[in-house]
Amino acid sequence: AQSVTQLGSHVSVSEGALVLLRCNYSSSVPPYLFWYVQYPNQGLQLLLKYTTGATLVKGINGFEAEFKKSETSFHLTKPSAHMSDAAEYFCAVSNNNNDMRFGAGTRLTVKP
Amino acid sequence: DADVTQTPRNRITKTGKRIMLECSQTKGHDRMYWYRQDPGLGLRLIYYSFDVKDINKGEISDGYSVSRQAQAKFSLSLESAIPNQTALYFCATSDLAGSSYNEQFFGPGTRLTVL
């Protein structure tokens, strides 16, 4: 079965600084990879996903992630953090949609 | 209106009580899922259903049961609630067609506390 490891349960950045949230996956078959964001008291919202094709994936709110097969990674980045980016972020891996595995989550804090 | 709704949004109950959490969707998706979220553990799959006649256990199904009453409705039951079932519960849907292939759409969650 596939699995996901998110490095760092909490990440704090200053407003305007680079955001980097790390995700490594394990999968025996070509994976589908996702980043979801959860704002307080809300459900999960898809930021971006990788299925096939281009390995650099652009998502909503200026986020992007790059699928690196050799490193089994799918790190999430944003060049300049905004206060509204403060939330919890989940990386997930799936191979056939009925077995989506989530990481433990990374809480992003943005300081003024 | 929200595409995936969950009721109730919050519930406090006592050990041993039977609890039902309900999920409805207007997305027309065939696939529905129940997850629980615990701090530091992410989301874990409890049950999933690919259509009305199909129910499957997920990673942590013990102590839970589900019912798929219609394509749009998927209920989660705790037959005899216990304190370690205190968690945030999410319903999700997905479809195999179109640009949203393999993406799951989540409801707002139900916060359940078992005393």
Side-chain angles (χ1 to χ4, degrees), chain A residues 33-75:
Chain A
L33 295 161
F34 306 81
W35 276 100
Y36 283 87
V37 60
Q38 183 182 28
Y39 298 105
N41 301 313
Q42 294 186 27
L44 277 69
Q45 177 184 357
L46 183 72
L47 272 179
L48 49 81
K49 65 181 178 182
Y50 168 80
T51 54
T52 59
T55 56
L56 182 62
V57 181
K58 295 185 183 298
I60 62 172
N61 301 338
F63 285 93
E64 62 183 35
E66 186 171 10
F67 169 58
K68 292 187 176 181
K69 184 178 179 180
S70 62
E71 299 178 7
T72 61
S73 69
F74 192 57
H75 302 330

Side-chain angles (χ1 to χ4, degrees), chain A residues 32 34 36 38 41-46 49 51 88 90 94-105, chain B residues 9 31 33 35 37 40-43 45 48 50 59 88 90 94 96 99-104 106-108:
Chain A
Y32 296 101
F34 306 81
Y36 283 87
Q38 183 182 28
N41 301 313
Q42 294 186 27
L44 277 69
Q45 177 184 357
L46 183 72
K49 65 181 178 182
T51 54
E88 188 150 23
F90 293 92
S94 171
N95 55 18
N96 58 6
N97 201 38
N98 60 296
D99 194 11
M100 183 174 282
R101 299 298 175 106
F102 288 82
Chain B
R9 293 293 310 279
R31 299 184 170 198
Y33 310 79
Y35 292 90
Q37 182 183 11
L41 295 179
L43 277 74
L45 183 63
Y48 61 98
F50 283 176
E59 192 182 355
L88 188 54
F90 286 103
S94 72
L96 291 182
S99 61
S100 63
Y101 175 76
N102 220 20
E103 175 185 347
Q104 293 190 14
F106 286 82

